[in-house]
Structures are given as C-alpha cells and as structure tokens.
Amino acid sequence: MPGYISTYTYQPAAGHVPQFAPRDYKHFSVEPVTGAMGAVVTGLDLTTAGDAAIAELEEALTDHLALMIRDQDLAPDQQVAFARRLGSPVPWPHAKPMEGHPEITELIQEPNDKYAFGGTWHSDSCSFERPPKYTMLYCVESPPVGGDTAFSNQYLAWETLDPALRDELEGVKCLNSDEVGYATVATSDEVMGHTTTTIAFDRDHIEEVLHPVARTHPVTGRKALYTNSSFTAAFEGKTQEESLPLLEKLWEHSITQEFTCRLRWKKGSLAIWDNRCCMHYATSDYPGHRRHMRRIVLEGERPV
Ligand code: SIN
C-alpha cells in the first residue's frame, strides 16, 4: 500500500422538514424539488389569484424558501402588480431600470456573453442596510437547456455547523461591502456587458454595512447563516486577511450539496425566493443561447 489517505469527508444526512410534508394547498399544487428546499407550483394564474391564494403562496414560500411558478403570461405591469401583493417593490440602484418600469431590472444574457449576472453564490444585495426580502424573476426567454438557478438553504447551513463554532459565532457581525459585491468584479463590462443595460455603480459612494453572521427570520424565528463570498469583506473588528480562513470555511459549508436544489426555467415561469434564508447562483452553462429575465426585488428589513 503506498500510504495515501482519503481527503474527502462524508456529509451527515440533512433535510428541511416541510419538503417532506407540503401543506394541503387549496389554490394550487406544490411539488417539492429536493429534500433541502425549492418547490414547483402549478395550477395558479397570478393575474387572477385571489387574496386567499396569495396568502397560501406566501405560506408555501415560507416553507420551501424558493418557488418556481409555471405557466404564467405576465406583461411588465402585471408582474409589478403581482409583486405589490407580496410587499413593496424597490428599484435596484445598480442598473438602469426597464423603460417605463422603475421597479424592473432586465437580466439579459446574449449568446456570446461569457459570464452570467449573479453567477456566484449570494443573497441579494446583502451589502444594503435593508436587503430585499424576496427576489422575483420572470422568464421571458430561456435557453433550450441550462441556465438553472441553484439555491442553498441557509437554515440548514447554520443548524448543521459544529455547535462549538455556532456558539463562537453567536452575536458576531460581518462587514458586507459593495466594494466586494460590485466594485471589483461584478460590474466589469465582461460580466455586465449585456446585462441590465448600463450600470450606475458609484465607486465614490460604496455602501457597506454590518450584518449578523446568522440572521433570525422574522416569520419562522429560525436562524440562517448570512455570509457569502460575493459580499462579505471581513468579521467586525478584523481585517480581511484575519477573517478569510474562517469565512472561507463557512462559505464552503454553506453550499454543501445536501442543502441545495436547482430550479429549471421555462418561458413564462416566475420564481420567487426568500433572501433571508437562502442563497442562489445563476448557472452560466448555455453558451450560444440567450436568456432574458425580468427581475423585481421587494423591500426587506434590517437583518437581526
Ligand atoms: C440574481 O442573482 O438575482 C439572478 C439569478 C438568475 O438570473 O438566475
């Protein structure tokens, strides 16, 4: 025997209980995607849904963290009207909005684009003081295959950390910075070339904010890991260099396979996810094809 050792570890079983026991929904059908999170919703027309259906939809979102609602036909005004039933749509400050629709950002990936906007693990705009609670994407055009959005359940990420590490991180804050999020890579022409029209990032006014490493969800009361390599610069009171060894360990843990799902797009599908308890990643695996989404973010609260 040459004396090699195994360098991998096995992940203990982990699952999100609502995935295995969806509620008995009266207004639509819900099919969970993996044991971690995500569900596909069918049998609902968002232009005619009544208040009871919308209330059920929010329950499904709370339970499954991200929903892919199939078979919609939404004009921009109708998408905004639906968003208003779930909260307050807010303009996203780093891109020029869709003409005539200040709440909508268009995400367009042209066939020759190399990178996808949102193609790193993140929770949306967590460098903002009040990051959006929900993000909503409506698919205008999808590649024939590919371009899935991947998600990771951050309740599971927090709850499966070693208890001693959780104790150590209890009450600790991270500095999340636009400089990490947008100033260096994400707004380069290569990444943003055809996406969202022109960027309005102002390098002289960089937003940065301290948020807890684990935030408590205002509805479920559960804690979720809330740090990612796309925005987090350092732990409070530490340099980036001092912080990176532990941060990188957390980031690697946060995308453990057992916490994830992928949602597949079709033209006319609308996804909504809860940024307070999951991260996402736009997969760039469709060179030579076009993908076009309309995105709306809904105002959130300051993480605690
Ligand atoms: C985003 O990060 O908001 C975009 C995700 C996607 O296009 O799949």
Side-chain angles (χ1 to χ4, degrees), residues 49-101:
D51 290 346
I54 298 295
E56 268 199 345
L57 198 66
E58 274 218 88
E59 283 177 351
L61 184 53
T62 301
D63 280 1
H64 301 289
L65 285 55
L67 302 176
M68 181 63 88
I69 307 167
R70 296 288 186 215
D71 306 319
Q72 305 302 310
D73 184 7
L74 297 178
D77 282 339
Q78 290 172 309
Q79 189 183 346
V80 174
F82 167 59
R84 289 209 175 110
R85 300 183 74 185
L86 297 176
S88 306
V90 280
W92 191 63
H94 294 317
K96 215 163 92 182
M98 184 180 183
E99 186 79 34
H101 298 283

Side-chain angles (χ1 to χ4, degrees), residues 107 116-120 122 124 135 137 147-151 265 273 275 280-283 286 291 293 295 297:
L107 308 184
F117 171 87
T120 59
H122 63 286
D124 278 329
T135 300
L137 280 194
D148 295 356
T149 306
F151 293 89
W265 289 100
W273 60 85
N275 287 301
H280 59 282
Y281 179 112
T283 311
Y286 49 98
R291 182 179 186 266
M293 302 283 172
R295 177 184 190 252
V297 292

Side-chain angles (χ1 to χ4, degrees), residues 43-190:
L44 179 66
D45 180 344
L46 294 174
T47 62
T48 56
D51 290 346
I54 298 295
E56 268 199 345
L57 198 66
E58 274 218 88
E59 283 177 351
L61 184 53
T62 301
D63 280 1
H64 301 289
L65 285 55
L67 302 176
M68 181 63 88
I69 307 167
R70 296 288 186 215
D71 306 319
Q72 305 302 310
D73 184 7
L74 297 178
D77 282 339
Q78 290 172 309
Q79 189 183 346
V80 174
F82 167 59
R84 289 209 175 110
R85 300 183 74 185
L86 297 176
S88 306
V90 280
W92 191 63
H94 294 317
K96 215 163 92 182
M98 184 180 183
E99 186 79 34
H101 298 283
E103 309 91 341
I104 296 181
T105 304
E106 288 191 280
L107 308 184
I108 298 172
Q109 195 77 14
E110 296 291 359
N112 290 328
D113 286 353
K114 191 165 164 191
Y115 301 107
F117 171 87
T120 59
W121 281 105
H122 63 286
S123 174
D124 278 329
S125 303
C126 56
S127 50
F128 295 0
E129 196 180 323
R130 292 156 63 92
K133 63 172 185 173
Y134 300 149
T135 300
M136 178 185 292
L137 280 194
Y138 176 70
C139 181
V140 178
E141 183 178 353
S142 74
V145 67
D148 295 356
T149 306
F151 293 89
S152 184
N153 179 331
Q154 297 306 289
Y155 292 133
L156 290 178
W158 175 250
E159 289 160 6
T160 57
L161 278 178
D162 184 87
L165 180 55
R166 264 200 328 251
D167 286 349
E168 191 188 312
L169 292 171
E170 204 62 66
V172 171
K173 292 188 172 170
C174 285
L175 186 78
N176 292 330
S177 170
D178 267 1
E179 191 171 10
V180 177
Y182 305 113
T184 45
V185 180
T187 54
S188 71
D189 286 347
E190 232 181 351

Side-chain angles (χ1 to χ4, degrees), residues 16 65 123 152-161 166 169-170 172 211-218 220-228 250 253-254 274-279 303-304:
H16 181 64
L65 285 55
S123 174
S152 184
N153 179 331
Q154 297 306 289
Y155 292 133
L156 290 178
W158 175 250
E159 289 160 6
T160 57
L161 278 178
R166 264 200 328 251
L169 292 171
E170 204 62 66
V172 171
H211 286 320
V213 175
R215 68 180 292 182
T216 304
H217 194 284
T220 65
R222 284 173 71 179
K223 281 197 166 180
L225 191 63
Y226 194 62
T227 171
N228 56 74
L250 294 175
H253 174 74
S254 71
D274 189 331
N275 287 301
R276 302 168 295 188
C277 52
C278 70
M279 293 200 297
V304 288

